[in-house]
Amino acid sequence: MSQSSLSAVDAATTGALLLGDNLNFWAGERQAPRPGAADAEPVYEPATGRVLCQLTPCGPDEVNAAVESAGAAYLRWSKMAGMERSRFMLEAARIIRERREKIAKLEVINNGKSITEALTDVDVAWQCMEYYAGLAATMAGQHIQLPGGAFAYTRREALGVCAGIGAWNYPFQIAVVKSAPALACGNSMVFKPSPMTPVTAVLLAEIYREAGMPPGLFCVVQGGAATGTLLCQHPRVAKVSFTGSVPTGKKVMEMSARGVKPVTLELGGKSPLIIFGDCELDNAVKGALMANFLTQGQVCCNGTRVFVQRDIVGRFLEKVVAKTRAIAVGDPLLDGTRMGALISKPQLDKVLAFVRQAEEQGAKVLCGGQPLVPSDPKLKEGYFMSPCVLDDCRDDMTCVKEEIFGPVMSVLPFDTEEEVLRRANDTTFGLASGVFTRDISRAHRVAEKLEAGTCYINNYNISPVEVPFGGYKMSGFGRENGQVTVEYYSQLKTVVVEMGDVDCLF
Ligand code: NAD
């Protein structure tokens, strides 16, 4: 991709999308927000601080319209053979691939992450679509022989209208990762993006339509907590798949419990990355950077508690700090940029406050942790900060206990395997974990003992679509990606067939 700059991104290149406010989608087309709504909120571009559009949250009438539309589409879609659904999905994957640069660019403008990362996110999205297109025709049941010639069989059936609620860190990817398996299983979906990143979900809705899927199969309603609540509580919504923070996840679970609806919760984390003294140090350093600084550190599974065995702490810090200082922070639309802007001004302030608090509690800032103003004048109102490495951290510090969701790495020395496992597991979260060592037995022993949904051995933050992803403990339950996700978007019906006379006790 050629070098581009923010000034090139205006109404001419992005069409009505950035300036228009029609970001809802149901009945097969974009829908205008409620006229004269007093509760519209501005949506910002993180790199410049400019207002991209106004977001009017959907109220009960709009949520109803979207769910009705999805309900009608479900009746048609769920009756198709898996192979038919697969063909539509492969076409959607092809269109996503064709438009990868446009989608990625809009993601950057709305989210602030670097174009390099955004392109990868879009690639993961079309791969995910292809993967679940491949699985659509594999939905099948079992045949069970019973006495006297009787038998039973099971049918794997769709659930109905599923609700997807997304976070702002991977807006397009989350919309695909939720909808692709849902649609493969024969469901329809009403998706609500984060109000901070409403832009790219509607592109996905348009792509599904262009791929020939029934109108209403994938609907988008915009809004925040109130709209999300309406969606979770809607009697025609059969399942909720949620990505976001633990406190919101609890509310979603409570609402789903009231409706006895299955729920998938992909929540936050404070994951441990354990680096043993026998590791290949350069790879461990790279792993620690990948574990902390993707998407400005706003990644749920980040390994932000970096436990380093005491004999290599000095050498590790020297290398990791040098590489962190060298990270190119700035215009996220430039190819050479490796770190863009945080999602919002409040998020930037919150992350910086975590760093100041860490210092007050005794941590040492080895680099970064400061607001950053790029030299380009059009970025002067952007939400940038320098990536930060904290040394002298203790387990009881706030920066070590709480999810910061920013580019802040906390380094903690340790002595023994037993000790580090106890400390690594001493958290209410359990999303991911990592271990760097050349000792193969230790690697698998540690992976077994870490209380987390994923453990990376000698790497970090690689999430191919074929591999299940999800949390232990308060990081949630249910899985996304991989074959197992089919089970979370379908239900099993048992059909029992008598071939003889009824054996009656009465
Ligand atoms: P958030 O919990 O504030 O919001 C998530 C979504 O829930 C948004 O769309 C929001 O509008 C909606 N929402 C808010 N209140 C609601 C309610 N009462 N009912 C229904 N919906 C409601 O989270 P966020 O700030 O958008 O995202 C950051 C969090 O997401 C972090 O904790 C991060 O770790 C987590 N996350 C987890 C994963 C994962 O796969 N485990 C992936 C990305 C982000």
Side-chain angles (χ1 to χ4, degrees):
M1 191 188 200
S2 60
Q3 293 275 316
S4 51
S5 68
L6 287 175
S7 61
V9 179
D10 52 20
T13 50
T14 56
L17 189 61
L18 287 182
L19 303 179
D21 301 333
N22 292 357
L23 297 171
N24 300 314
F25 197 99
W26 59 81
E29 56 194 12
R30 282 186 190 236
Q31 302 284 341
R34 276 174 291 133
D39 49 356
E41 296 271 357
V43 178
Y44 297 97
E45 177 180 54
T48 63
R50 74 173 167 155
V51 174
L52 290 176
C53 57
Q54 296 292 328
L55 190 83
T56 306
C58 286
D61 291 346
E62 286 108 332
V63 170
N64 271 336
V67 173
E68 290 301 319
S69 168
Y74 164 71
L75 294 179
R76 283 175 59 191
W77 183 250
S78 58
K79 289 189 179 61
M80 287 182 195
M83 281 297 279
E84 289 176 274
R85 293 200 292 265
S86 174
R87 278 194 289 274
F88 288 110
M89 293 180 67
L90 287 173
E91 175 60 5
R94 189 196 63 72
I95 303 173
I96 294 174
R97 204 170 174 175
E98 189 178 84
R99 298 196 187 148
R100 72 189 279 274
E101 295 204 356
K102 179 186 175 185
I103 298 166
K105 202 166 176 182
L106 285 171
E107 195 82 314
V108 172
I109 292 165
N110 195 184
N111 169 278
K113 68 171 72 190
S114 74
I115 187 72
T116 307
E117 280 193 50
L119 284 165
T120 306
D121 293 356
V122 180
D123 289 341
V124 170
W126 63 254
Q127 285 162 19
C128 178
M129 195 70 68
E130 285 187 345
Y131 178 76
Y132 286 106
L135 285 186
T138 68
M139 299 260 294
Q142 230 187 340
H143 177 273
I144 302 139
Q145 193 66 43
L146 298 172
F151 64 93
Y153 62 92
T154 57
R155 293 167 48 87
R156 191 155 281 283
E157 296 181 348
L159 296 166
V161 177
C162 298
I165 298 179
W168 43 258
N169 55 348
Y170 287 83
F172 188 77
Q173 195 176 302
I174 290 175
V176 172
V177 162
K178 292 193 185 304
S179 60
L183 301 191
C185 294
N187 304 286
S188 58
M189 177 167 272
V190 179
F191 186 79
K192 190 198 80 61
S194 162
M196 284 189 273
T197 51
V199 172
T200 47
V202 75
L203 297 188
L204 179 63
E206 286 175 335
I207 288 169
Y208 280 139
R209 272 302 283 148
E210 283 178 54
M213 294 180 186
L217 193 67
F218 179 81
C219 302
V220 178
V221 291
Q222 301 289 352
T227 309
T229 301
L230 287 167
L231 205 48
C232 292
Q233 292 179 340
H234 199 291
R236 281 203 69 183
V237 166
K239 183 223 160 79
V240 181
S241 175
F242 173 81
T243 296
S245 62
V246 173
T248 313
K250 286 182 190 173
K251 289 183 198 158
V252 167
M253 192 169 163
E254 278 167 19
M255 288 187 277
S256 302
R258 265 179 248 131
V260 197
K261 295 174 189 179
V263 58
T264 295
L265 296 179
E266 294 286 357
L267 309 180
K270 189 75 198 177
S271 301
L273 168 59
I274 304 174
I275 299 176
F276 284 95
D278 68 347
C279 71
E280 208 289 284
L281 188 58
D282 287 333
N283 275 328
V285 167
K286 287 192 230 166
L289 296 167
M290 292 299 284
N292 279 272
F293 296 140
L294 289 173
T295 305
Q296 297 73 246
Q298 304 161 132
V299 181
C300 51
C301 45
N302 269 359
T304 45
R305 291 184 293 143
V306 182
F307 293 96
V308 184
Q309 206 155 23
R310 206 171 296 275
D311 55 333
I312 60 160
V313 171
R315 281 189 296 142
F316 172 83
L317 285 175
E318 198 181 310
K319 283 175 185 269
V320 95
V321 168
K323 281 194 177 286
T324 302
R325 285 208 174 105
I327 292 174
V329 184
D331 186 342
L333 281 165
L334 295 180
D335 287 344
T337 297
R338 285 294 168 269
M339 188 177 285
L342 275 72
I343 188 69
S344 66
K345 180 75 170 66
Q347 180 73 7
L348 173 65
D349 292 343
K350 191 177 128 195
V351 175
L352 293 170
F354 266 114
V355 176
R356 302 289 83 84
Q357 187 184 28
E359 281 185 301
E360 283 158 26
Q361 294 179 348
K364 191 166 153 197
V365 177
L366 295 184
C367 64
Q370 297 291 335
L372 190 146
V373 183
S375 53
D376 186 336
K378 64 181 176 294
L379 305 177
K380 70 177 194 314
E381 302 295 333
Y383 320 132
F384 297 92
M385 69 173 280
S386 47
C388 177
V389 178
L390 296 174
D391 188 20
D392 292 343
C393 294
R394 294 185 318 270
D395 295 358
D396 63 344
M397 288 177 175
T398 312
C399 66
V400 177
K401 291 201 299 203
E402 290 184 19
E403 184 181 46
I404 297 176
F405 230 53
V408 182
M409 179 193 302
S410 298
V411 178
L412 302 130
F414 74 92
D415 293 299
T416 68
E417 182 180 316
E418 192 191 3
E419 169 213 334
V420 78
L421 278 168
R422 182 181 41 77
R423 292 169 62 193
N425 287 333
D426 187 16
T427 169
T428 55
F429 295 112
L431 192 53
S433 59
V435 54
F436 274 84
T437 177
R438 284 192 174 102
D439 180 338
I440 189 168
S441 305
R442 173 153 63 193
H444 293 289
R445 197 166 57 230
V446 167
E448 185 200 327
K449 289 184 180 155
L450 282 167
E451 296 164 0
T454 297
C455 181
Y456 300 100
I457 296 176
N458 291 333
N459 205 334
Y460 205 95
N461 266 346
I462 35 172
S463 301
V465 295
E466 309 92 306
V467 178
F469 178 85
Y472 275 20
K473 303 201 270 190
M474 287 180 88
S475 292
F477 50 76
R479 289 292 176 269
E480 290 188 327
N481 288 344
Q483 220 172 334
V484 69
T485 299
V486 165
E487 290 174 27
Y488 295 98
Y489 280 109
S490 62
Q491 54 194 338
L492 206 62
K493 178 177 284 168
T494 300
V495 180
V496 182
V497 184
E498 180 56 73
M499 298 296 282
D501 293 330
V502 173
D503 189 6
C504 181
L505 283 180
F506 309 103

